[in-house]
Amino acid sequence: MDINQHHFDRNIRRAKGTRTIGAFSSLPFPDNTFDYLHCSLALFYTSYNPRKGGKSDFERLRTLHNMSRAVKKDGNIILAFDANTLWKNPTSTKQILSFLGLEEVSSYTGSVNSD
């Protein structure tokens, strides 16, 4: 799945399987569909703008909620993102993931340096 049709166009002859145009924030799949979902850096392009007294945009939360909804109860979601993409406070991030029915697997969590 990709939000951009053109990403499929170049690889149409090589790629096999179903191609779906769509966004993680509004997954066009029923609940409990997938054993595995992988979102690599796409959260960077979602908005998370809580505002007091103004219009808030929680696309990032909708994305995580839709992923939680579409993955099977015993399935896995792999998220790859830079440190500032979710929330700067790790405790808040864990609480939000828990609220959405997700769990951080600490043994797979950490930083990668290019040094």
Side-chain angles (χ1 to χ4, degrees), residues 5-47:
Q5 167 67 43
H6 300 294
H7 290 167
F8 294 122
D9 293 345
R10 318 180 253 189
N11 300 309
I12 198 88
R13 286 183 222 114
R14 291 184 300 173
K16 294 183 178 160
T18 303
R19 294 165 195 86
T20 302
I21 308 301
F24 273 120
S25 59
S26 57
L27 287 172
F29 301 101
D31 294 0
N32 302 309
T33 298
F34 299 101
D35 294 312
Y36 169 85
L37 286 172
H38 180 219
C39 181
S40 180
L41 303 175
L43 287 175
F44 176 79
Y45 297 101
T46 61
S47 57

Side-chain angles (χ1 to χ4, degrees), residues 79-83 108-115:
L79 299 174
F81 52 87
D82 67 9
Y108 295 118
T109 302
S111 299
V112 177
N113 294 321
S114 59
D115 298 339

